[in-house]
Amino acid sequence: MTVTFDDILAARDRIAGQVDRTPVRYSRKLSQLTGAEVWIKFDNLHFTGSFKERGALNRLLQLSADERRRGVVAASAGNHAQALAYHGGRLGIPVTIVMPEGTPFVKADGTRAHGATVVIKGLDFSGSTEEAHRLRDEEGFVFVSAFDDEGIVTGQGVCGLEFLEDAPDLDALIIPIGGGGLIAGSAIAAKAMKPDIRIFGVEAAMYPSFAARRRGEVARCGGQTIAEGIAIKAVGDIPFALADPLVEDVIVCEEADFEKAVAFYATLEKTVAEGAGAGGLAALLAAPERFRGLKVGLVLCGGNIDSRMLAVVLNRELVREKRLVVYRILGDDRPGMLSKMSAVIGGLGGNIIDVVHNRLALDVPAKGAEFDIMVETRGEAHADEIRHGLEEAGYALRMG
């Protein structure tokens, strides 16, 4: 088992002209924010919205004529699925995809739109993989792993090759880890081109499979993460063997880190990232001191996020920044109370978004009422100014 730089060069030539070469750009805003010199490879701009196209196409092009006729099956939360479906359709190869329950609608719908058969089976990726193996055995399909396959790893390595060609002075790459195909292939390519480059991985705290395997432990995995694209209970054997000697460290990020990264990509870079795709930035935001002063490359590896989830994440970030604040006010239930509170808030420049007027809470006097007033502010200092203004006006409150 081996993947070499020559293999990656061959994959680049094999897929040339069939997969977009995504742009690499310097981010002035993220550099100012983190103290690192930040370069981003925008793999969210692939036609199917993620880095998976290179590996999927490379693997499909290596099938025999008989294997193409039989078709392929895979288990995927969505990005590998869409890449296989799109390029399988282009090449006339039947594609069946097994997706876990709870897969974002945008990914399932996108896969169907490319002509693949979608089967929803399994509570997680492991359950979907079992079903995909069953279909392989019963239907004669060729199973194409999302990551545990040399052809997939080789194709993903083209990402690292392109990155170093476009930004040869990078000191470090930060790459999300799910099954490990992207970091394995990219690390091989990057190290061949610049041996002293430092490679860092990123995992979700709920699914730290690579980090645990390094320590010789069984990973404790589970839970609903916004980074569902890297919610893998067991890193692939092939990617782990290839990447482990090349990866300096794995940064395990909490959900808030991923949410903040998604929000910053949208608000600062004006681009859409899914949770897993924003993993590199999540790690940089979680540990900026480790990268201060370095030229750092982030692979924005996917942008397939449900619009509803994106809206939730952006609003939650407003709450973290105290630009959306709920003031809970206990007061008398008499005419004009809400008007007076509103006058205080409006007079201080707050914008009232929503009001909930509760007369039935049992910890409120029968002649009283509880008001939950959601206010848009300019930030923490402004939120505190409004709170002080309400207190000075005689209202008993707490901030929500």
Side-chain angles (χ1 to χ4, degrees):
M1 179 195 68
T2 183
V3 171
T4 68
F5 185 53
D6 285 340
D7 294 329
I8 294 170
L9 291 173
R12 177 192 62 185
D13 295 340
R14 190 178 294 119
I15 68 176
Q18 301 179 70
V19 175
D20 294 326
R21 184 184 178 110
T22 56
V24 171
R25 295 174 184 153
Y26 170 69
S27 172
R28 184 183 304 177
K29 291 180 179 179
L30 292 179
S31 297
Q32 292 172 344
L33 179 68
T34 63
E37 185 177 311
V38 180
W39 293 79
I40 303 168
K41 185 163 179 59
F42 288 85
D43 265 13
N44 61 330
L45 298 181
H46 279 293
F47 179 68
T48 62
S50 88
F51 76 98
K52 291 285 191 177
E53 285 195 32
R54 300 184 191 92
L57 177 58
N58 186 58
R59 184 67 180 87
L60 288 172
L61 291 174
Q62 293 175 309
L63 294 174
S64 68
D66 177 64
E67 288 173 330
R68 289 188 177 208
R69 179 189 57 78
R70 285 155 47 198
V72 300
V73 66
S76 171
N79 288 334
H80 179 58
Q82 291 188 77
L84 271 183
Y86 170 58
H87 287 291
R90 286 181 52 248
L91 298 171
I93 301 171
V95 176
T96 299
I97 301 295
V98 185
M99 291 185 162
E101 298 171 16
T103 295
F105 293 138
V106 65
K107 294 184 178 182
D109 292 345
T111 303
R112 292 189 182 96
H114 294 309
T117 299
V118 174
V119 177
I120 304 296
K121 185 76 172 182
L123 296 177
D124 53 23
F125 181 78
S126 298
S128 296
T129 301
E130 290 178 6
E131 177 65 11
H133 286 163
R134 186 188 69 79
L135 291 171
R136 172 199 62 192
D137 296 340
E138 292 187 2
E139 304 294 336
F141 298 138
V142 177
F143 177 75
V144 179
S145 171
F147 47 82
D148 208 12
D149 182 295
E150 290 183 34
I152 294 290
V153 172
T154 303
Q156 311 307 19
V158 179
C159 176
L161 187 157
E162 292 179 355
F163 211 154
L164 267 291
E165 284 181 340
D166 292 346
D169 295 331
L170 289 178
D171 298 311
L173 287 177
I174 310 177
I175 301 174
I177 302 175
L182 178 61
I183 197 168
S186 294
I188 291 168
K191 286 285 190 179
M193 299 172 73
K194 187 175 184 180
D196 62 345
I197 195 168
R198 303 167 68 186
I199 309 294
F200 295 86
V202 187
E203 290 188 306
M206 294 183 186
Y207 293 86
S209 59
F210 193 105
R213 186 163 176 174
R214 272 193 149 181
R215 298 190 300 267
E217 301 172 359
V218 176
R220 294 186 176 182
C221 299
Q224 292 295 315
T225 173
I226 188 177
E228 75 282 337
I230 55 173
I232 306 297
K233 290 184 176 180
V235 64
D237 293 335
I238 292 173
F240 182 82
L242 295 168
D244 188 43
L246 305 178
V247 175
E248 179 173 327
D249 195 12
V250 178
I251 300 169
V252 177
C253 291
E254 301 294 336
E255 288 301 289
D257 300 323
F258 289 104
E259 291 182 28
K260 184 175 291 186
V262 169
F264 280 11
Y265 269 130
T267 57
L268 300 181
E269 288 301 315
K270 314 306 179 187
T271 193
V272 175
E274 60 187 271
L281 180 55
L284 183 57
L285 295 173
E289 69 285 349
R290 299 190 63 174
F291 302 99
R292 196 162 287 124
L294 298 180
K295 296 180 176 67
V296 179
L298 308 179
V299 180
L300 198 179
C301 56
N304 291 318
I305 185 171
D306 274 336
S307 55
R308 180 191 65 81
M309 182 54 63
L310 179 60
V312 169
V313 169
L314 292 175
N315 279 319
R316 284 168 64 90
E317 190 58 28
L318 292 178
V319 172
R320 287 193 182 92
E321 296 173 357
K322 295 197 174 173
R323 291 169 59 195
L324 271 184
V325 179
V326 175
Y327 299 93
R328 176 161 291 175
I329 303 172
L330 302 180
D332 297 335
D333 186 15
R334 64 174 187 268
M337 280 293 293
L338 185 57
S339 175
K340 293 177 182 178
M341 296 174 195
S342 301
V344 173
I345 294 169
L348 292 170
N351 181 33
I352 295 176
I353 303 297
D354 191 22
V355 177
V356 177
H357 191 176
N358 185 4
R359 293 180 174 86
L360 300 180
L362 296 181
D363 58 348
V364 175
K367 290 189 176 182
E370 180 180 79
F371 304 84
D372 281 352
I373 306 178
M374 180 181 290
V375 180
E376 181 183 17
T377 77
R378 295 188 296 272
E380 185 172 3
H382 188 208
D384 288 342
E385 180 186 356
I386 293 172
R387 175 172 60 85
H388 292 314
L390 288 166
E391 289 173 341
E392 289 173 0
Y395 299 111
L397 60 86
R398 70 176 180 85
M399 293 178 68

